[in-house]
Amino acid sequence: MAYRRTPAVQARLDAQREAVLQAAVGLLADRGYGGCSMAAVADRAGIATGSLYQHFANKAELSVELFRRVVTREIAAVNEAVARQDTPQARVAAVVETFAARALKAPRLAYALLVEPADAVVDTERLVFRRAFRDVLATQIAAAVAAGRLPAQDPDLTAAALVGAVGEALAGPLAEGSAPAEVIPGLVSFTLRALGGRDAGNT
């Protein structure tokens, strides 16, 4: 007869898995992917390395789950910022401003999410991450075009170009761990001008 975990055992395993992921998020923010070895994560979580393998088969599997958790949090923060704006154009600006501000507030974490060399499976997740931000932007660009606030354009193409440009603009500051104060306002102004609208100083 196959063994079935009792609710108590399952609850303990679920709690342990959550502790592992929280420890991994902390390590990612402190040391990047390079510092997130299975042994280091287990040590921070307060469990034996062997116990960690009950939850994740290898570092790549752990990294993917870790990446998805952090990205879900970032997407939620951007959507919350968008919801606070009254116009489609302001929502587009809010996406860029929130993304950049959060990245620069936690540069080591953002560097790991965006550009640090990692496993191939993580690179695949990065594409999902970029597409998620593209979709948020594209939705708002399409609404702004429909409302006559922006000239006609392909929302998906424009959004993809913006995601690439913003990511590239942030790569240097994230690697250095700091950025000039004008970086975020400059990115917002660039975004609105690239869309064909007026920049933040002239709206």
Side-chain angles (χ1 to χ4, degrees):
M1 182 176 180
Y3 169 74
R4 292 185 180 180
R5 293 171 178 165
T6 66
V9 169
Q10 188 61 54
R12 180 181 64 78
L13 289 172
D14 290 345
Q16 189 177 77
R17 189 176 192 277
E18 179 62 25
V20 166
L21 287 170
Q22 289 182 7
V25 170
L27 275 174
L28 186 66
D30 291 344
R31 307 179 192 174
Y33 277 115
C36 285
S37 68
M38 296 292 273
V41 172
D43 182 64
R44 181 167 289 203
I47 64 174
T49 303
S51 297
L52 180 55
Y53 285 97
Q54 290 183 306
H55 304 284
F56 301 99
N58 49 48
K59 181 181 176 181
E61 187 175 303
L62 171 61
S63 296
V64 167
E65 186 66 24
L66 169 61
F67 192 93
R68 290 176 180 174
R69 168 165 293 211
V70 177
V71 166
T72 297
R73 184 177 68 190
E74 296 305 307
I75 294 292
V78 166
N79 281 324
E80 289 172 7
V82 166
R84 291 193 291 269
Q85 305 302 317
D86 295 328
T87 67
Q89 203 164 359
R91 292 179 189 128
V92 171
V95 174
V96 173
E97 183 175 15
T98 302
F99 175 76
R102 289 178 64 85
L104 293 173
K105 186 178 292 185
R108 190 67 189 87
L109 176 62
Y111 182 79
L113 290 175
L114 295 172
V115 294
E116 183 179 357
D119 295 312
V121 290
V122 173
D123 286 336
T124 299
E125 291 299 315
R126 281 184 174 140
L127 289 176
V128 176
F129 179 39
R130 292 166 69 90
R131 287 168 183 160
F133 273 105
R134 179 205 65 189
D135 291 346
V136 173
L137 276 169
T139 297
Q140 301 309 324
I141 293 169
V145 171
R149 301 293 297 271
L150 291 175
Q153 57 196 284
D154 182 334
D156 288 335
L157 179 60
T158 301
L162 286 172
V163 169
V166 171
E168 182 63 26
L170 290 175
L174 292 177
E176 295 169 4
S178 63
E182 63 269 17
V183 166
I184 295 176
L187 281 173
V188 172
S189 179
F190 163 79
T191 296
L192 294 176
R193 285 185 283 109
L195 291 170
R198 295 175 297 174
D199 68 30
N202 296 315
T203 53

